[in-house]
Amino acid sequence: MIPAAKPIIGDEEREAVDRVLRSGMLAQGPEVKAFEEEFSAHVGGRHCVAMNSGTSALHLGFIAAGIERGDEVIVPSFSFAATANSVVLAGGVPVFADIDPRTFNLDPNHVETLITKKTKAIMPVHLYGHIAAMDEFQELSSKYGVKIIEDAAQGHLASLNGRNAGEFGIVASFSFYPTKNMTAGEGGMVVTDDAEVARMLRLLRNQGQEIRYQNEVVGFNTRMTDIHAAIGRVQLAKLPGWTKQRQSNAAYLDANLKGVVTPYLAPGTTHSYHQYTIRIPGGSSEKRDAFMAGLTERGVGCGVYYPTPIHKLASFKLDLTLPETDLVVKECVSLPVHPSLTQAELETIVSVVNEVAAAL
Ligand SMILES: *Cc1c(COP(=O)(O)O)cnc(C)c1O
Protein backbone atom coordinates (compact mmCIF):
# COMPACT_ATOMS: atom_id res chain seq x y z
CA MET A 1 0.00 0.00 0.00
CA ILE A 2 1.33 3.45 -0.92
CA PRO A 3 0.36 5.54 2.15
CA ALA A 4 -1.50 8.83 1.62
CA ALA A 5 0.92 10.63 3.97
CA LYS A 6 4.11 9.64 5.77
CA PRO A 7 6.14 11.58 8.37
CA ILE A 8 9.88 11.13 7.78
CA ILE A 9 11.89 10.74 10.98
CA GLY A 10 15.63 10.11 10.67
CA ASP A 11 18.65 9.55 12.92
CA GLU A 12 19.20 13.33 13.16
CA GLU A 13 15.80 13.79 14.85
CA ARG A 14 16.53 10.90 17.26
CA GLU A 15 19.95 12.37 18.08
CA ALA A 16 18.46 15.81 18.66
CA VAL A 17 15.90 14.42 21.13
CA ASP A 18 18.62 12.45 22.88
CA ARG A 19 20.74 15.61 23.17
CA VAL A 20 17.88 17.41 24.95
CA LEU A 21 17.09 14.44 27.21
CA ARG A 22 20.76 14.23 28.25
CA SER A 23 20.84 17.96 28.99
CA GLY A 24 18.18 17.47 31.67
CA MET A 25 16.39 20.66 30.51
CA LEU A 26 13.19 19.52 28.87
CA ALA A 27 10.76 22.46 29.01
CA GLN A 28 10.90 25.65 26.91
CA GLY A 29 14.54 26.75 26.74
CA PRO A 30 17.43 27.28 24.31
CA GLU A 31 16.14 24.84 21.66
CA VAL A 32 12.84 26.72 21.42
CA LYS A 33 14.70 30.04 21.08
CA ALA A 34 16.94 28.62 18.34
CA PHE A 35 13.94 27.10 16.53
CA GLU A 36 12.18 30.50 16.57
CA GLU A 37 15.26 32.24 15.14
CA GLU A 38 15.73 29.63 12.43
CA PHE A 39 12.05 29.72 11.46
CA SER A 40 12.22 33.50 11.18
CA ALA A 41 14.60 33.16 8.23
CA HIS A 42 11.75 31.57 6.22
CA VAL A 43 9.20 34.32 6.97
CA GLY A 44 11.10 37.47 6.03
CA GLY A 45 12.79 37.87 9.42
CA ARG A 46 9.49 38.35 11.30
CA HIS A 47 9.15 37.67 15.04
CA CYS A 48 8.39 34.01 15.76
CA VAL A 49 6.79 32.66 18.94
CA ALA A 50 6.59 28.86 19.33
CA MET A 51 3.52 27.16 20.84
CA ASN A 52 2.49 23.63 21.81
CA SER A 53 0.15 23.26 18.81
CA GLY A 54 -1.09 25.00 15.70
CA THR A 55 -4.46 25.45 17.40
CA SER A 56 -2.83 27.27 20.34
CA ALA A 57 -0.93 29.39 17.81
CA LEU A 58 -4.22 30.40 16.14
CA HIS A 59 -6.05 30.93 19.46
CA LEU A 60 -3.38 33.11 21.09
CA GLY A 61 -2.72 34.79 17.75
CA PHE A 62 -6.32 36.07 17.74
CA ILE A 63 -6.05 37.34 21.31
CA ALA A 64 -2.73 39.08 20.64
CA ALA A 65 -4.14 40.62 17.44
CA GLY A 66 -6.91 42.20 19.51
CA ILE A 67 -9.92 40.00 18.68
CA GLU A 68 -12.47 40.54 21.45
CA ARG A 69 -15.83 39.12 22.50
CA GLY A 70 -18.38 39.41 19.68
CA ASP A 71 -15.89 40.40 16.97
CA GLU A 72 -16.62 38.76 13.64
CA VAL A 73 -13.85 36.95 11.80
CA ILE A 74 -14.48 35.78 8.22
CA VAL A 75 -13.09 32.29 7.59
CA PRO A 76 -13.54 29.54 5.00
CA SER A 77 -15.87 26.68 5.90
CA PHE A 78 -13.78 24.36 3.72
CA SER A 79 -10.94 23.80 6.22
CA PHE A 80 -9.99 21.88 9.35
CA ALA A 81 -12.28 22.59 12.33
CA ALA A 82 -9.44 24.33 14.25
CA THR A 83 -9.73 27.27 11.83
CA ALA A 84 -13.15 28.21 13.24
CA ASN A 85 -12.67 26.73 16.73
CA SER A 86 -9.81 29.12 17.42
CA VAL A 87 -12.03 32.13 16.59
CA VAL A 88 -14.62 30.91 19.11
CA LEU A 89 -11.98 30.12 21.75
CA ALA A 90 -10.79 33.74 21.50
CA GLY A 91 -14.39 34.98 22.03
CA GLY A 92 -15.01 35.86 18.39
CA VAL A 93 -17.73 34.80 15.97
CA PRO A 94 -16.68 32.92 12.82
CA VAL A 95 -18.51 34.04 9.67
CA PHE A 96 -18.18 31.41 6.96
CA ALA A 97 -17.44 32.44 3.38
CA ASP A 98 -17.28 30.38 0.21
CA ILE A 99 -14.17 29.35 -1.71
CA ASP A 100 -12.75 29.72 -5.19
CA PRO A 101 -13.14 26.11 -6.38
CA ARG A 102 -9.95 26.30 -8.47
CA THR A 103 -7.61 27.02 -5.53
CA PHE A 104 -9.91 25.64 -2.76
CA ASN A 105 -9.16 28.91 -0.91
CA LEU A 106 -11.33 31.70 0.53
CA ASP A 107 -13.01 33.75 -2.23
CA PRO A 108 -12.26 37.50 -1.75
CA ASN A 109 -15.42 38.50 -3.69
CA HIS A 110 -17.70 36.55 -1.40
CA VAL A 111 -15.77 37.75 1.66
CA GLU A 112 -16.41 41.39 0.68
CA THR A 113 -20.20 40.83 0.72
CA LEU A 114 -19.98 39.52 4.32
CA ILE A 115 -18.07 42.48 5.81
CA THR A 116 -20.14 44.31 8.46
CA LYS A 117 -19.45 46.87 11.21
CA LYS A 118 -18.61 43.93 13.48
CA THR A 119 -15.98 42.44 11.14
CA LYS A 120 -12.61 42.69 12.82
CA ALA A 121 -10.55 40.29 10.72
CA ILE A 122 -10.40 38.01 7.71
CA MET A 123 -8.51 34.74 8.06
CA PRO A 124 -7.62 33.02 4.79
CA VAL A 125 -6.24 29.47 5.05
CA HIS A 126 -3.45 28.46 2.66
CA LEU A 127 -5.22 25.17 2.07
CA TYR A 128 -3.20 22.19 0.82
CA GLY A 129 -0.14 24.47 0.43
CA HIS A 130 -1.68 26.85 -2.14
CA ILE A 131 -1.28 30.40 -0.84
CA ALA A 132 -4.55 32.35 -0.57
CA ALA A 133 -5.33 35.47 -2.68
CA MET A 134 -3.32 37.72 -0.35
CA ASP A 135 -3.20 40.79 -2.67
CA GLU A 136 -6.99 40.90 -2.78
CA PHE A 137 -7.26 40.44 1.00
CA GLN A 138 -4.72 43.26 1.58
CA GLU A 139 -6.98 45.49 -0.57
CA LEU A 140 -10.03 44.56 1.52
CA SER A 141 -7.98 45.26 4.63
CA SER A 142 -7.15 48.81 3.49
CA LYS A 143 -10.65 49.49 2.15
CA TYR A 144 -12.57 48.36 5.27
CA GLY A 145 -9.96 48.63 8.04
CA VAL A 146 -10.11 44.93 8.91
CA LYS A 147 -7.12 42.85 9.97
CA ILE A 148 -5.68 39.99 7.97
CA ILE A 149 -4.69 36.90 9.95
CA GLU A 150 -3.26 33.83 8.19
CA ASP A 151 -4.02 30.21 9.02
CA ALA A 152 -0.70 28.98 7.62
CA ALA A 153 -0.98 25.52 9.24
CA GLN A 154 -0.61 23.96 5.77
CA GLY A 155 1.36 26.82 4.22
CA HIS A 156 5.04 26.15 4.99
CA LEU A 157 7.10 27.68 2.12
CA ALA A 158 4.06 28.36 -0.09
CA SER A 159 4.62 31.75 -1.73
CA LEU A 160 3.12 34.58 -3.75
CA ASN A 161 5.39 36.80 -5.86
CA GLY A 162 8.42 35.79 -3.80
CA ARG A 163 6.83 36.31 -0.37
CA ASN A 164 6.21 33.26 1.80
CA ALA A 165 3.07 32.39 3.71
CA GLY A 166 3.42 34.09 7.09
CA GLU A 167 4.68 37.37 5.61
CA PHE A 168 1.25 38.92 4.98
CA GLY A 169 -0.98 39.00 8.05
CA ILE A 170 -0.69 40.89 11.34
CA VAL A 171 -0.27 37.37 12.69
CA ALA A 172 0.13 34.02 10.92
CA SER A 173 0.03 30.60 12.56
CA PHE A 174 1.83 27.45 11.46
CA SER A 175 1.36 23.85 12.67
CA PHE A 176 3.94 21.11 13.18
CA TYR A 177 1.50 18.23 13.58
CA PRO A 178 3.01 14.98 12.16
CA THR A 179 1.04 15.05 8.89
CA LYS A 180 2.15 18.61 8.01
CA ASN A 181 5.07 19.28 5.63
CA MET A 182 7.39 19.35 8.66
CA THR A 183 6.76 18.18 12.22
CA ALA A 184 7.92 18.73 15.78
CA GLY A 185 5.75 15.84 17.07
CA GLU A 186 3.18 18.48 18.00
CA GLY A 187 3.69 22.22 17.89
CA GLY A 188 2.90 25.55 16.30
CA MET A 189 4.49 28.91 15.51
CA VAL A 190 2.96 32.38 15.50
CA VAL A 191 4.64 34.83 13.17
CA THR A 192 4.18 38.62 13.36
CA ASP A 193 5.95 41.78 12.19
CA ASP A 194 4.74 43.69 15.26
CA ALA A 195 7.11 43.65 18.26
CA GLU A 196 4.28 44.47 20.72
CA VAL A 197 2.13 41.61 19.41
CA ALA A 198 5.15 39.28 19.70
CA ARG A 199 5.69 40.35 23.30
CA MET A 200 2.01 39.75 24.10
CA LEU A 201 2.26 36.27 22.56
CA ARG A 202 5.28 35.48 24.76
CA LEU A 203 3.32 36.63 27.82
CA LEU A 204 0.15 34.75 26.88
CA ARG A 205 1.90 31.42 26.31
CA ASN A 206 3.61 31.57 29.72
CA GLN A 207 1.00 32.50 32.36
CA GLY A 208 1.27 36.17 31.44
CA GLN A 209 4.80 36.51 32.76
CA GLU A 210 8.08 37.52 31.18
CA ILE A 211 9.87 37.67 34.54
CA ARG A 212 8.98 34.82 36.86
CA TYR A 213 6.19 35.61 39.35
CA GLN A 214 5.60 39.02 37.80
CA ASN A 215 2.44 38.11 35.91
CA GLU A 216 1.28 41.04 33.77
CA VAL A 217 -1.81 39.54 32.09
CA VAL A 218 -3.95 36.42 32.52
CA GLY A 219 -2.23 33.84 30.36
CA PHE A 220 -2.06 30.20 29.36
CA ASN A 221 0.54 27.48 29.41
CA THR A 222 0.94 26.76 25.69
CA ARG A 223 4.72 26.53 25.72
CA MET A 224 6.62 24.30 23.32
CA THR A 225 9.11 21.92 24.97
CA ASP A 226 12.80 21.81 24.03
CA ILE A 227 12.26 18.16 23.02
CA HIS A 228 9.75 19.18 20.35
CA ALA A 229 11.79 22.21 19.26
CA ALA A 230 14.84 19.99 18.75
CA ILE A 231 12.84 17.78 16.35
CA GLY A 232 11.42 20.87 14.63
CA ARG A 233 14.89 22.36 14.04
CA VAL A 234 16.11 19.23 12.26
CA GLN A 235 12.94 19.04 10.18
CA LEU A 236 13.08 22.75 9.29
CA ALA A 237 16.56 22.25 7.80
CA LYS A 238 15.14 19.46 5.61
CA LEU A 239 11.96 21.34 4.65
CA PRO A 240 13.26 23.16 1.51
CA GLY A 241 14.54 19.89 -0.02
CA TRP A 242 11.32 18.07 0.85
CA THR A 243 9.25 20.88 -0.66
CA LYS A 244 11.21 20.64 -3.94
CA GLN A 245 10.57 16.89 -3.95
CA ARG A 246 6.83 17.43 -3.38
CA GLN A 247 6.82 19.94 -6.27
CA SER A 248 8.59 17.53 -8.58
CA ASN A 249 6.22 14.67 -7.58
CA ALA A 250 3.28 17.00 -8.28
CA ALA A 251 4.73 18.02 -11.68
CA TYR A 252 4.94 14.34 -12.64
CA LEU A 253 1.32 13.74 -11.59
CA ASP A 254 0.16 16.94 -13.39
CA ALA A 255 1.79 15.79 -16.61
CA ASN A 256 0.47 12.23 -16.55
CA LEU A 257 -2.93 12.04 -14.83
CA LYS A 258 -5.98 11.79 -17.12
CA GLY A 259 -9.72 12.05 -16.53
CA VAL A 260 -9.44 14.03 -13.27
CA VAL A 261 -9.02 17.77 -12.50
CA THR A 262 -5.43 18.31 -11.34
CA PRO A 263 -4.46 21.15 -8.92
CA TYR A 264 -4.59 24.71 -10.22
CA LEU A 265 -1.74 27.14 -9.70
CA ALA A 266 -2.70 30.84 -9.47
CA PRO A 267 -0.32 33.30 -11.22
CA GLY A 268 2.74 34.24 -9.13
CA THR A 269 2.33 31.38 -6.65
CA THR A 270 4.52 28.46 -5.72
CA HIS A 271 2.58 25.52 -4.28
CA SER A 272 4.11 23.50 -1.46
CA TYR A 273 1.74 20.53 -2.04
CA HIS A 274 0.86 19.75 1.55
CA GLN A 275 -1.84 17.81 -0.29
CA TYR A 276 -2.12 16.99 -3.98
CA THR A 277 -5.88 17.37 -4.31
CA ILE A 278 -7.75 16.48 -7.47
CA ARG A 279 -11.45 16.68 -8.32
CA ILE A 280 -13.62 13.95 -9.76
CA PRO A 281 -16.04 16.01 -11.86
CA GLY A 282 -19.76 15.33 -11.64
CA GLY A 283 -20.77 16.76 -8.27
CA SER A 284 -21.36 13.27 -6.86
CA SER A 285 -19.77 12.00 -3.66
CA GLU A 286 -20.82 8.44 -4.68
CA LYS A 287 -18.69 8.75 -7.83
CA ARG A 288 -15.76 10.15 -5.81
CA ASP A 289 -16.13 7.40 -3.21
CA ALA A 290 -16.18 4.73 -5.95
CA PHE A 291 -12.97 6.26 -7.33
CA MET A 292 -11.38 6.08 -3.88
CA ALA A 293 -12.47 2.46 -3.39
CA GLY A 294 -10.84 1.63 -6.75
CA LEU A 295 -7.58 3.23 -5.64
CA THR A 296 -7.59 1.53 -2.24
CA GLU A 297 -8.24 -1.91 -3.84
CA ARG A 298 -5.21 -1.35 -6.05
CA GLY A 299 -2.93 -0.26 -3.21
CA VAL A 300 -2.96 3.53 -3.60
CA GLY A 301 -3.79 5.41 -0.39
CA CYS A 302 -5.96 8.51 -0.64
CA GLY A 303 -8.09 10.72 1.60
CA VAL A 304 -10.75 13.44 1.69
CA TYR A 305 -9.79 16.67 3.42
CA TYR A 306 -12.46 17.67 4.44
CA PRO A 307 -15.65 15.63 3.95
CA THR A 308 -17.89 18.00 5.98
CA PRO A 309 -17.69 21.81 5.76
CA ILE A 310 -17.13 23.33 9.22
CA HIS A 311 -20.50 25.12 9.26
CA LYS A 312 -22.27 21.75 8.96
CA LEU A 313 -20.38 20.03 11.81
CA ALA A 314 -22.39 19.29 14.99
CA SER A 315 -20.21 21.88 16.77
CA PHE A 316 -21.57 24.72 14.57
CA LYS A 317 -24.66 23.47 12.69
CA LEU A 318 -25.37 26.66 10.74
CA ASP A 319 -28.02 26.83 8.05
CA LEU A 320 -25.93 28.40 5.27
CA THR A 321 -25.59 27.85 1.55
CA LEU A 322 -22.03 27.92 0.26
CA PRO A 323 -22.42 26.42 -3.23
CA GLU A 324 -18.75 26.02 -4.16
CA THR A 325 -17.88 24.53 -0.77
CA ASP A 326 -20.82 22.15 -0.98
CA LEU A 327 -19.70 21.04 -4.46
CA VAL A 328 -16.00 20.63 -3.69
CA VAL A 329 -16.57 18.44 -0.60
CA LYS A 330 -18.26 15.93 -2.93
CA GLU A 331 -15.56 15.97 -5.61
CA CYS A 332 -12.20 16.36 -3.88
CA VAL A 333 -9.71 13.62 -3.08
CA SER A 334 -6.05 13.86 -2.14
CA LEU A 335 -3.42 11.56 -3.63
CA PRO A 336 0.00 10.71 -2.16
CA VAL A 337 2.61 13.41 -2.97
CA HIS A 338 4.95 13.06 0.02
CA PRO A 339 8.71 13.31 -0.54
CA SER A 340 9.47 9.65 0.19
CA LEU A 341 7.57 8.42 -2.91
CA THR A 342 9.76 6.53 -5.37
CA GLN A 343 9.54 6.90 -9.17
CA ALA A 344 8.00 3.41 -9.31
CA GLU A 345 5.32 4.45 -6.80
CA LEU A 346 4.58 7.62 -8.81
CA GLU A 347 4.15 5.47 -11.92
CA THR A 348 1.80 3.14 -10.00
CA ILE A 349 -0.29 6.11 -8.82
CA VAL A 350 -0.59 7.37 -12.40
CA SER A 351 -1.54 4.01 -13.92
CA VAL A 352 -4.05 3.21 -11.13
CA VAL A 353 -5.69 6.67 -11.19
CA ASN A 354 -5.98 6.66 -14.99
CA GLU A 355 -7.40 3.14 -15.06
CA VAL A 356 -9.96 3.79 -12.29
CA ALA A 357 -10.96 7.25 -13.65
CA ALA A 358 -11.50 5.83 -17.16
CA ALA A 359 -13.82 3.12 -15.78
CA LEU A 360 -16.04 5.50 -13.71
C1 LIG B 1 -3.45 21.23 11.27
C2 LIG B 1 -4.28 22.42 11.13
C3 LIG B 1 -4.59 23.26 12.23
C4 LIG B 1 -4.29 22.90 13.65
O1 LIG B 1 -2.98 22.59 13.93
P1 LIG B 1 -2.65 21.59 15.15
O2 LIG B 1 -1.17 21.68 15.25
O3 LIG B 1 -3.14 20.24 14.75
O4 LIG B 1 -3.33 22.12 16.37
C5 LIG B 1 -5.28 24.43 11.97
N1 LIG B 1 -5.68 24.78 10.74
C6 LIG B 1 -5.44 24.00 9.66
C7 LIG B 1 -5.88 24.45 8.32
C8 LIG B 1 -4.74 22.79 9.82
O5 LIG B 1 -4.51 22.02 8.76
Side-chain angles (χ1 to χ4, degrees), residues 52-58 78-84 86 123 125-128 151-154 173-180 186-188 274 306:
N52 59 0
S53 74
T55 304
S56 298
L58 286 166
F78 189 57
S79 183
F80 184 53
T83 298
S86 56
M123 183 165 77
V125 180
H126 309 305
L127 203 72
Y128 305 146
D151 180 342
Q154 303 184 6
S173 297
F174 290 83
S175 166
F176 306 121
Y177 185 71
T179 57
K180 303 291 152 85
E186 290 266 12
H274 169 58
Y306 298 89

Side-chain angles (χ1 to χ4, degrees), residues 135-173:
D135 288 342
E136 287 79 354
F137 291 119
Q138 301 284 21
E139 274 173 34
L140 293 180
S141 171
S142 322
K143 189 168 166 190
Y144 296 99
V146 297
K147 293 175 178 172
I148 304 300
I149 293 172
E150 300 170 68
D151 180 342
Q154 303 184 6
H156 316 71
L157 302 191
S159 72
L160 173 64
N161 298 323
R163 285 169 79 195
N164 279 351
E167 296 185 39
F168 296 89
I170 168 162
V171 293
S173 297

Side-chain angles (χ1 to χ4, degrees), residues 148-281:
I148 304 300
I149 293 172
E150 300 170 68
D151 180 342
Q154 303 184 6
H156 316 71
L157 302 191
S159 72
L160 173 64
N161 298 323
R163 285 169 79 195
N164 279 351
E167 296 185 39
F168 296 89
I170 168 162
V171 293
S173 297
F174 290 83
S175 166
F176 306 121
Y177 185 71
T179 57
K180 303 291 152 85
N181 284 18
M182 60 167 287
T183 188
E186 290 266 12
M189 190 73 78
V190 194
V191 171
T192 176
D193 63 352
D194 184 317
E196 278 309 306
V197 171
R199 183 177 131 75
M200 182 53 74
L201 287 162
R202 292 201 176 87
L203 290 176
L204 287 170
R205 80 171 161 190
N206 187 29
Q207 315 285 6
Q209 60 185 354
E210 193 164 40
I211 300 163
R212 197 190 277 194
Y213 305 134
Q214 294 187 17
N215 307 64
E216 301 174 38
V217 297
V218 175
F220 300 78
N221 171 5
T222 57
R223 296 181 302 257
M224 179 181 274
T225 73
D226 261 16
I227 304 170
H228 293 91
I231 300 171
R233 292 180 68 194
V234 175
Q235 294 254 318
L236 182 61
K238 297 177 179 176
L239 180 68
W242 283 339
T243 304
K244 284 205 179 72
Q245 191 59 50
R246 283 176 183 274
Q247 288 161 343
S248 105
N249 293 347
Y252 182 83
L253 296 174
D254 285 346
N256 293 289
L257 293 182
K258 295 187 181 72
V260 299
V261 182
T262 56
Y264 171 79
L265 214 56
T269 62
T270 56
H271 202 309
S272 61
Y273 296 101
H274 169 58
Q275 298 290 352
Y276 184 90
T277 303
I278 60 170
R279 290 173 64 181
I280 309 301

